[in-house]
Amino acid sequence: MFFHNLKYEIILNLRAKEVIIWMLAFPIVLSVLYKAAFGNIYENGGITTVPVAIVENEPDEMFRAMVDFMGESESTYAQDESNIGSWLSKTMQQKEQDDPQQKPLLHAIYCREDEAYRMLVNGDVKGIIFVDAPEGMAASGGSVEAGDADMADTDTSEEVTAEWSAEAIKSFLDAFDGSERYQNADAETILAGEGLSLQDAASFKDMLDQKPKLSLKIKSSGMEQSTLKRFLETYGSLTSISGKLADQGGTGTSSSSIMDSDLIEVRKLTEGNTDPFVTYMYNMIAMVALFGMTVALHVALFSEANLSDYGARRSCSPTPKLTTIMSGLCGCYFTQILCVAVCITFQAFVLKVDFGGRLPLVYLGGALGAIMGVSMGFFVGAIGRLKYEAKIGISMAVVMGLSFMSGLMFTGIKASIEMNAPIINDLNPVAIIADSFYYLSVDPDLSRYWGKLAVAGIYTVIFILLGFLMTRRRKYESL
Amino acid sequence: MGDTVVKIENLVKKYKELTAVDHLSLEIKKGEIFGLLGPNGSGKTTTISCLLSLLAYNEGNIELFGKPMTPVSYDSKAKIGVILQNVAVFDELNVYENIDCFCGLYIKDKAKRRQYVDEAIEFVGLKDFTKFKPKKLSGGLLRRLNIACGIAHKPELIILDEPTVAVDPQSRNKILEGIEELNRNGATVIYTTHYMEEVEQICTRIAIMDHGKKIAEGTSGELKRMIKNTETVTIEMDEPDSGLLETMKNLENAYEVRWEAGKLKIFFAGGEHNLLNTMDTIRTTGTHFGQVTSELPTLNDVFLTITGKELRDKD
C-alpha cells in the first residue's frame, strides 16, 4: 500500500501545474533574469576598477595608505594638463596588460581641482574625492559630503551625504565575520593583526581625531559611483573603529576582549556572500526549497475526512492513515528535493554560478531545506479547516514574505533586520537555508553550515510532530 | 443474524443544539438494495458518515458484518465500497490511473488489481475513455468514474450517497442499472437519495427519514399501503358546481374531492375500476372535460401523509 500510494503521490505532484510553474519554471526564469541583470558583473569577477580623482587640499597619509591598499594611484602633477584623459586611459590599459588577473578596486589620480572637474565632465573619472582640512577637532572625518553641485556641462550632479552608519560599521565587520580571525581577540591582537602596535595607539588616535574631512562628488548615479561611496563609508568605519581601538590601547585596557567590550557588538552577519548575485541565487534556492510548503499542503488535506472528499474516501479504506500520510510526505519530499536539485543544477551548470567548490553540500542544504518546507506544508495543511486554495495562497504569501526578509528582492533588508531584530533572521527558515549556503562560500570551517542545517532539522521535526498531532484524530465531530 | 450486514441501534448524532440523527435504528440484510430516502438535511449523509466511522456520534451502536465498526476496523473496511456525494477523483490522473489509485488502497496484488480495474472500467462503460483526464469527461461520465473508483475492488457492501445528483437522465439510468447489476452479483447496497423515483425503481427496502428520524420503513408497497390513498383521478374542467362535487364524493371508494388550479381531483381508498366509474358518472352529468389521468400513490404521497409536507428539492 505504501509504495502504491508513494507512486501516485509522486505522479500527482509532478503533473500538478502549480509544481511545474512554481518549483521548476519560476526559479529557472528568475535565475535567468538575475543572470541577465547581474551576470555581467559576476562574470567579470565582481570587481570593476573605478577611476577616481583625488583632490588633496589637506594631505592625509592614512587615507593615501588606504587608497594604495585598495587600488593603485597616479599623480597628474607632472602631466600635460591638456591630455590628462588620454594619459589616464593609456595608464589603465597598461595596468591591465601588465596583470590582467589583478583588478584593483580604485584607480586614483591625485590632481588639482580643475583637472579633476575636467576629468569628471569628460567621464575619465567617476567621481572626485576631496580631502579637506577638518572643521574642528570633533569633526567626524567620517562624513561623506559632496562638493558644489553647480558643475558646468554635467548632466546631473548628485550630492551624497552619509553618516558613519551602523551599516557601514557592519560592512567593515563583514570581513571579520567570514574568517572569525578576531573572535575573542583583545585589542593588542587586533592591532597587531592590522600591522599596528599598542605603542602607536595614542598618537594614532590623535591622528584620527584630526583626520581631514572627506567629500565625494559624482556626476551621475551608477554602480561605479556606488563603489566610491561604499569605499568612503568603509574607510570611515575603519578609522572610527580604529580610533576607539586606539582609545582602549592608550588607556591600558588592552587585555580586555574586543568582543566583550561595548566597542563592538558581535553580530552573526548573514547577509551573504560579498557578491550579491550569488546571494540572490542562495536566496532563490532557499525560496524554492520552502515552496515545498505548497506541495505538501495536500498531504494532510487528502488524508483527513473532514478536510476533503479524497480524505473521506481514503479514510473509508483499509489503508491506515499513518501509511497514507507517510507515503504522501515521502512523495512530497522526493518531488521537492528533485525540484531543488533541478534549480541548483541549472544554476551551477547552465548559469555557471560558482557555489564555492562545495556543490555537493549545496545540494545537501537544498535537500534539507526542501524537507523542512514540505514538513511546514504538512503542518499548515493540517491546521484549521480553510479551503485548499486559501491555504495555498497563505503559504505562497508566507514563503514570499520570508524570502523578502531573507534578501531575495534586495539584500539590504536582511542586514537591516540583523541590526534591529536579529531573532527574525535566526528564525526565518528561508534565511536559515540561505545562510547555510553563505557559510559554505565564506567559511572554510563547516561548523556553522552544519549548525544551520541542524536548525533546519529541528524545524522539520517540530513541524512533522505538530502535523501528526493535528492529524491523529480518527473520528470527526463534523465533516 | 448471520445475514445481517449492517446493524444500527439507537444512533444519535448532535451538532451542538441540532440533532442530526435522532435515535435511528436500522438493520440491513445481505443482498438488499436498501434505500435511505429523505429531503436534504434529513440526516442521510450523517448516518452514512457515522456508519463508516468517519463521524463521532453521541449515542448508539453500529455493527458491520457482525462486528462493531470503529476507525480501525480494517477487515470490515476492506469489504466496503463508498461512493460519496461529491466526485473525488484526481484531475492529474487519467481514468485508468484514478481507478487504479483508489483500488490500490484495497488490493495489494498488482495483477489482480489490473484485472479488477479493467472490469470496473468495462462495468461503468468507460472503456473508450481510459486515457482521458477527468476534465475531459462529461458530468455523467465523471459520475461513472467516481463510481468505478468506489467499486473496483469488488466490495460486499456498497454505499452510494446521492450518486445521481446533477446527472443527465441517460447516465442516471446507466448508473441505476449498474447498481442493480452489482446487487445481482452479490453486493449489498445502501443507497441514499432524495429522488423517490430512483428508490422506487431499484430499492428492495426503504427507510424514509426526516429531521434525523426514521419515519417509515418497508418495501415500496408496504410504505404505500401505510396511507389511505390508493388512486387519484384528475380531470381537467371548468369550476364544478356544488351538485357535481357532491356526486363525485358519492362515488364508490372516493373519500375526498378537491378542485384546484382548473383540475378536479378525486381520491380513492381501495377498490377497483375507480377510473371507469368516474368517467361513467361524469358523462351522465353532461359535464364538459378535458384530459383525464389516474395516478397511483407515490412515496412522496407517503411522505406528505406522514409529515404533512412534500419531499423538498424535488427535481
Side-chain angles (χ1 to χ4, degrees):
Chain A
M1 305 278 184
F2 176 85
F3 289 105
H4 172 83
N5 282 352
L6 180 65
K7 173 188 141 186
Y8 276 108
E9 183 68 37
I10 292 170
I11 291 174
L12 283 170
N13 285 338
L14 293 180
R15 286 186 190 170
K17 280 180 190 164
E18 298 81 13
V19 172
I20 294 166
I21 292 170
W22 290 104
M23 311 300 155
L24 292 171
F26 176 66
I28 286 174
V29 170
L30 204 56
S31 299
V32 171
L33 289 175
Y34 279 146
K35 173 79 173 176
F38 305 112
N40 194 37
I41 300 166
Y42 177 70
E43 282 170 355
N44 289 334
I47 293 175
T48 303
T49 302
V50 183
V52 59
I54 298 176
V55 178
E56 284 186 312
N57 296 322
E58 180 75 20
D60 183 354
E61 291 305 318
M62 186 174 176
F63 181 67
R64 275 202 173 219
M66 182 68 169
V67 171
D68 289 342
F69 178 72
M70 297 300 291
E72 55 199 11
S73 58
E74 301 286 344
S75 172
T76 66
Y77 298 134
Q79 300 298 319
D80 176 6
E81 287 181 17
S82 61
N83 202 23
I84 284 175
S86 61
W87 165 80
L88 178 61
S89 177
K90 280 180 190 168
T91 306
M92 289 185 73
Q93 282 174 9
Q94 187 60 45
K95 288 278 180 188
E96 284 180 10
Q97 284 168 7
D98 290 346
D99 188 357
Q101 299 300 317
Q102 191 76 25
K103 278 193 171 180
L105 181 68
L106 301 177
H107 188 96
I109 321 295
Y110 290 92
C111 57
R112 292 196 308 272
E113 187 171 347
D114 57 337
E115 293 170 346
Y117 273 114
R118 193 177 303 119
M119 285 192 285
L120 183 64
V121 170
N122 293 337
D124 297 326
V125 294
K126 300 299 177 186
I128 307 169
I129 295 173
F130 291 93
V131 185
D132 293 317
E135 289 171 359
M137 289 296 287
S140 67
S143 305
V144 182
E145 295 174 358
D148 296 332
D150 54 343
M151 290 167 54
D153 302 322
T154 55
D155 298 322
T156 56
S157 184
E158 184 180 331
E159 286 200 354
V160 181
T161 303
E163 294 301 321
W164 294 128
S165 62
E167 172 70 16
I169 295 169
K170 185 192 154 304
S171 302
F172 173 71
L173 284 175
D174 207 355
F176 290 175
D177 189 67
S179 61
E180 295 188 6
R181 285 179 299 153
Y182 297 111
Q183 186 90 40
N184 299 322
D186 59 22
E188 188 175 5
T189 307
I190 294 171
L191 286 168
E194 297 300 317
L196 301 166
S197 66
L198 278 174
Q199 286 78 3
D200 298 329
S203 55
F204 179 57
K205 178 180 177 300
D206 289 341
M207 183 179 76
L208 290 168
D209 285 344
Q210 296 178 56
K211 67 183 180 292
K213 185 177 146 190
L214 301 175
S215 56
L216 172 68
K217 179 135 191 106
I218 56 176
K219 184 181 172 186
S220 59
S221 298
M223 186 71 77
E224 289 159 319
Q225 288 78 1
S226 296
T227 302
L228 290 175
K229 185 186 163 192
R230 187 85 168 177
F231 165 72
L232 286 184
E233 287 175 347
T234 305
Y235 173 72
S237 300
L238 178 65
T239 53
S240 176
I241 292 166
S242 300
K244 290 180 181 177
L245 204 60
D247 267 344
Q248 284 199 343
T251 52
T253 55
S254 60
S255 59
S256 65
S257 165
I258 188 75
M259 294 303 171
D260 292 338
S261 73
D262 59 1
L263 173 63
I264 296 173
E265 184 183 355
V266 180
R267 286 186 184 273
K268 299 182 293 292
L269 293 167
T270 53
E271 193 179 354
N273 198 312
T274 48
D275 190 328
F277 175 67
V278 180
T279 305
Y280 283 128
M281 293 304 179
Y282 292 150
N283 284 310
M284 195 188 307
I285 296 168
M287 181 191 72
V288 175
L290 264 290
F291 268 149
M293 273 184 84
T294 58
V295 175
L297 281 177
H298 70 269
V299 173
L301 226 61
F302 289 0
S303 304
E304 295 286 299
N306 65 333
L307 296 181
S308 72
D309 295 317
Y310 305 105
R313 181 163 252 167
R314 283 175 164 171
S315 297
C316 295
S317 78
T319 303
K321 188 191 278 186
L322 185 65
T323 306
T324 310
I325 290 176
M326 286 306 294
S327 57
L329 271 178
C330 289
C332 289
Y333 288 145
F334 176 84
T335 311
Q336 194 56 20
I337 289 170
L338 184 70
C339 292
V340 173
V342 168
C343 181
I344 294 171
T345 304
F346 182 81
Q347 291 180 354
F349 296 103
V350 179
L351 299 184
K352 307 286 184 194
V353 175
D354 180 9
F355 287 112
R358 288 170 165 177
L359 192 56
L361 292 174
V362 175
Y363 279 113
L364 178 67
L368 197 57
I371 289 172
M372 177 170 66
V374 166
S375 304
M376 282 176 72
F378 169 53
F379 167 66
V380 172
I383 55 175
R385 292 190 65 177
L386 283 175
K387 282 187 174 177
Y388 178 64
E389 291 73 17
K391 286 186 176 178
I392 283 274
I394 291 169
S395 300
M396 294 293 286
V398 167
V399 174
M400 294 303 281
L402 293 175
S403 301
F404 173 75
M405 289 195 291
S406 179
L408 181 69
M409 286 71 177
F410 84 105
T411 51
I413 187 74
K414 192 173 177 187
S416 177
I417 291 171
E418 188 63 34
M419 297 299 289
N420 299 303
I423 187 74
I424 293 175
N425 277 346
D426 290 339
L427 295 176
N428 181 350
V430 177
I432 289 168
I433 301 301
D435 285 354
S436 70
F437 297 144
Y438 164 71
Y439 292 137
L440 273 182
S441 288
V442 301
D443 197 345
D445 179 12
L446 289 177
S447 58
R448 287 199 290 179
Y449 166 77
W450 292 119
K452 285 293 174 187
L453 292 198
V455 174
I458 291 168
Y459 260 121
T460 301
V461 171
I462 290 172
F463 285 127
I464 288 178
L465 288 178
L466 289 175
F468 274 115
L469 205 65
M470 302 292 294
T471 54
R472 75 190 188 288
R473 289 162 301 176
R474 288 172 168 166
K475 278 189 177 182
Y476 306 91
E477 285 306 314
S478 62
L479 293 177
Chain B
M1 299 296 285
D3 61 348
T4 298
V5 176
V6 177
K7 189 175 182 183
I8 299 173
E9 290 179 322
N10 278 316
L11 179 68
V12 177
K13 170 62 188 174
K14 291 181 179 176
Y15 295 109
K16 294 182 180 171
E17 300 303 312
L18 174 75
T19 303
V21 180
D22 193 357
H23 294 92
L24 177 75
S25 294
L26 290 174
E27 196 168 316
I28 301 168
K29 306 281 185 188
K30 188 175 180 184
E32 282 189 318
I33 301 180
F34 189 88
L36 266 181
L37 178 67
N40 289 337
S42 61
K44 305 185 297 291
T45 300
T46 303
T47 302
I48 295 298
S49 298
C50 292
L51 178 67
L52 293 167
S53 221
L54 298 176
L55 266 182
Y57 44 88
N58 303 83
E59 291 177 38
N61 294 306
I62 296 175
E63 283 184 11
L64 260 72
F65 304 103
K67 294 175 186 172
M69 181 62 178
T70 69
V72 291
S73 299
Y74 298 127
D75 288 346
S76 296
K77 285 183 172 183
K79 300 177 190 172
I80 303 172
V82 182
I83 294 110
L84 298 170
Q85 191 169 344
N86 295 326
V87 173
V89 294
F90 294 111
D91 287 341
E92 293 82 5
L93 303 179
N94 64 33
V95 166
Y96 184 93
E97 290 167 335
N98 260 302
I99 300 170
D100 183 56
C101 177
F102 289 111
C103 188
L105 297 171
Y106 298 81
I107 308 291
K108 261 188 180 180
D109 183 69
K110 274 187 181 177
K112 190 177 176 185
R113 194 166 69 231
R114 198 174 300 124
Q115 180 201 330
Y116 279 18
V117 172
D118 287 338
E119 287 174 10
I121 288 171
E122 185 80 38
F123 180 78
V124 296
L126 288 175
K127 203 173 181 181
D128 295 333
F129 305 94
T130 50
K131 297 289 178 193
F132 280 51
K133 297 275 178 66
K135 283 191 174 173
K136 298 275 183 186
L137 300 177
S138 67
L141 294 179
L142 201 57
R143 285 277 169 186
R144 289 196 225 169
L145 171 60
N146 196 40
I147 291 171
C149 291
I151 55 103
H153 58 287
K154 297 191 186 298
E156 294 177 31
L157 172 64
I158 300 171
I159 299 171
L160 299 107
D161 188 10
E162 310 239 17
T164 56
V165 170
V167 169
D168 61 274
Q170 190 186 349
S171 287
R172 178 180 293 197
N173 285 336
K174 178 86 182 167
I175 289 168
L176 296 178
E177 285 168 13
I179 292 167
E180 286 180 308
E181 192 180 334
L182 286 168
N183 179 247
R184 282 196 295 275
N185 292 338
T188 304
V189 177
I190 300 177
Y191 188 85
T192 80
T193 185
H194 59 272
Y195 297 127
M196 57 181 179
E197 308 84 10
E198 294 180 358
V199 170
E200 285 194 74
Q201 185 180 335
I202 65 168
C203 293
T204 54
R205 217 148 54 84
I206 301 155
I208 300 177
M209 292 185 70
D210 190 42
H211 294 302
K213 290 182 179 174
K214 182 177 73 177
I215 56 173
E217 184 180 348
T219 63
S220 176
E222 286 170 348
L223 290 171
K224 287 171 186 173
R225 281 196 289 277
M226 290 170 68
I227 60 173
K228 190 177 179 181
N229 178 259
T230 57
E231 187 176 0
T232 304
V233 175
T234 305
I235 306 165
E236 277 185 0
M237 60 188 299
D238 293 332
E239 187 171 3
D241 55 26
S242 57
L244 180 63
L245 284 175
E246 196 59 33
T247 304
M248 290 303 175
K249 262 186 195 172
N250 290 331
L251 280 170
E252 190 181 2
N253 303 319
Y255 65 91
E256 186 180 350
V257 176
R258 214 187 291 158
W259 191 87
E260 55 189 24
K263 289 173 183 173
L264 182 69
K265 286 191 170 184
I266 307 145
F267 298 91
F268 295 93
E272 290 179 346
H273 311 302
N274 294 321
L275 178 61
L276 284 175
N277 292 341
T278 305
M279 296 305 295
D280 288 343
T281 305
I282 204 160
R283 228 181 269 125
T284 56
T285 60
T287 308
H288 295 286
F289 61 90
Q291 194 176 10
V292 179
T293 57
S294 170
E295 294 171 275
L296 297 175
T298 64
L299 291 175
N300 188 50
D301 296 317
V302 177
F303 191 82
L304 181 66
T305 304
I306 297 172
T307 66
K309 62 192 178 191
E310 298 206 11
L311 275 164
R312 280 161 276 173
D313 300 322
K314 280 206 310 181
D315 283 357

